[in-house]
Amino acid sequence: MNTPSSRQGNLTRYAVYLVLYLIVIGIKKLTLLNDQVNKIGYFFFLIFALFALYFYIRQFNREQRFFEKKPSMPLLADYGFLVGVSILVILGRIFISYLQAKGAVPLMNFQIIYQKGESNLLFWFFIFSIGILIPALQVYLTSGFFFNYGFRAQNMTSGVVGIICSGFFFGILNFQASLALFVINSLYGMLFAWSYLYSQRILMPIYLAILNGIFMVILA
């Protein structure tokens, strides 16, 4: 029960992590009541989101000790891979923004809110929430804990199924009603999961998810 080898313990822990994430999302929504940023809500969002992220990091690092050590790639070790996936994320985000401008892909919820009332406060709230903190939490849920608990087997089938399931879960956690946006977010989630398996370091998908989130806000 107390180690990641316990299925019951894993389900309990994952439920706690998921509830924390949902609370963060709930506070974010309350902060944007009437499509305006509530400054008190902004403060509580930052405090609770940072606490949740700290808790995720602490638990993930602690749980890693119970698993077999695997060779990992330092974040900057494979420059070709790092530059390639970074360009892929950015170009993909630019292309999606172009499709949204043409009306071929719906706007995301935060984009609609931002277009209704552009302001510096709203912009920086989206940078911190959608650009940095929420993507990092999502990576821990859809790649870190997700693979540790459910897809530790060292074979191709486990890796491929894990990447696909991780991507779909990433799409679900973004709470977009549009099928097109769900597919786009799922594909990004699969890319992040693949980068985690490739590098064996959680920092790689976190970096890519934050890069994606920041460009998503900048191009809104």
Side-chain angles (χ1 to χ4, degrees):
M1 181 71 176
N2 294 323
T3 68
S5 61
S6 165
R7 180 172 298 181
Q8 181 182 355
N10 291 343
L11 288 174
T12 302
R13 279 186 288 272
Y14 202 82
V16 171
Y17 304 149
L18 188 57
V19 167
L20 278 177
Y21 174 80
L22 293 176
I23 293 174
V24 170
I25 296 299
I27 296 174
K28 171 181 166 289
K29 289 186 178 297
L30 289 175
T31 304
L32 291 172
L33 283 178
N34 302 318
D35 297 340
Q36 298 293 326
V37 179
N38 180 290
K39 292 182 180 179
I40 296 176
Y42 195 163
F43 172 77
F44 278 106
F45 169 81
L46 289 177
I47 293 298
F48 196 85
L50 287 170
F51 164 77
L53 182 57
Y54 167 77
F55 183 70
Y56 279 17
I57 294 170
R58 176 180 174 276
Q59 287 300 109
F60 182 79
N61 290 339
R62 176 180 176 275
E63 291 175 11
Q64 288 297 92
R65 296 179 299 170
F66 293 100
F67 294 117
E68 179 184 354
K69 294 290 185 181
K70 299 179 183 177
S72 61
M73 179 185 75
L75 185 61
L76 300 178
D78 190 336
Y79 293 104
F81 174 79
L82 186 63
V83 172
V85 290
S86 297
I87 292 174
L88 181 61
V89 167
I90 294 170
L91 290 181
R93 188 47 59 191
I94 292 172
F95 180 63
I96 293 165
S97 181
Y98 169 78
L99 293 178
Q100 289 176 323
K102 292 292 184 179
V105 174
L107 295 176
M108 299 185 74
N109 297 333
F110 86 91
Q111 293 173 315
I112 297 173
I113 294 173
Y114 186 64
Q115 289 186 358
K116 286 181 180 177
E118 295 184 28
S119 69
N120 286 335
L121 185 62
L122 192 59
F123 173 79
W124 285 108
F125 175 72
F126 284 145
I127 285 289
F128 285 119
S129 60
I130 294 170
I132 299 174
L133 294 172
I134 290 177
L137 295 175
Q138 289 174 338
V139 166
Y140 275 103
L141 282 175
T142 62
S143 292
F145 299 119
F146 186 83
F147 275 97
N148 280 353
Y149 294 165
F151 296 92
R152 294 291 299 185
Q154 299 297 304
N155 57 67
M156 180 67 72
T157 300
S158 177
V160 171
V161 174
I163 288 172
I164 294 172
C165 292
S166 175
F168 284 150
F169 190 33
F170 186 85
I172 291 171
L173 288 183
N174 278 278
F175 302 115
Q176 298 297 320
S178 162
L179 177 60
L181 291 175
F182 171 75
V183 171
I184 289 169
N185 288 326
S186 296
L187 291 174
Y188 270 102
M190 291 178 197
L191 176 64
F192 303 151
W194 172 68
S195 73
Y196 176 54
L197 292 187
Y198 176 83
S199 66
Q200 292 296 312
R201 287 178 62 88
I202 196 67
L203 287 179
M204 182 65 77
I206 288 176
Y207 157 72
L208 293 176
I210 290 176
L211 182 68
N212 174 62
I214 289 176
F215 269 86
M216 188 163 56
V217 174
I218 291 174
L219 296 173

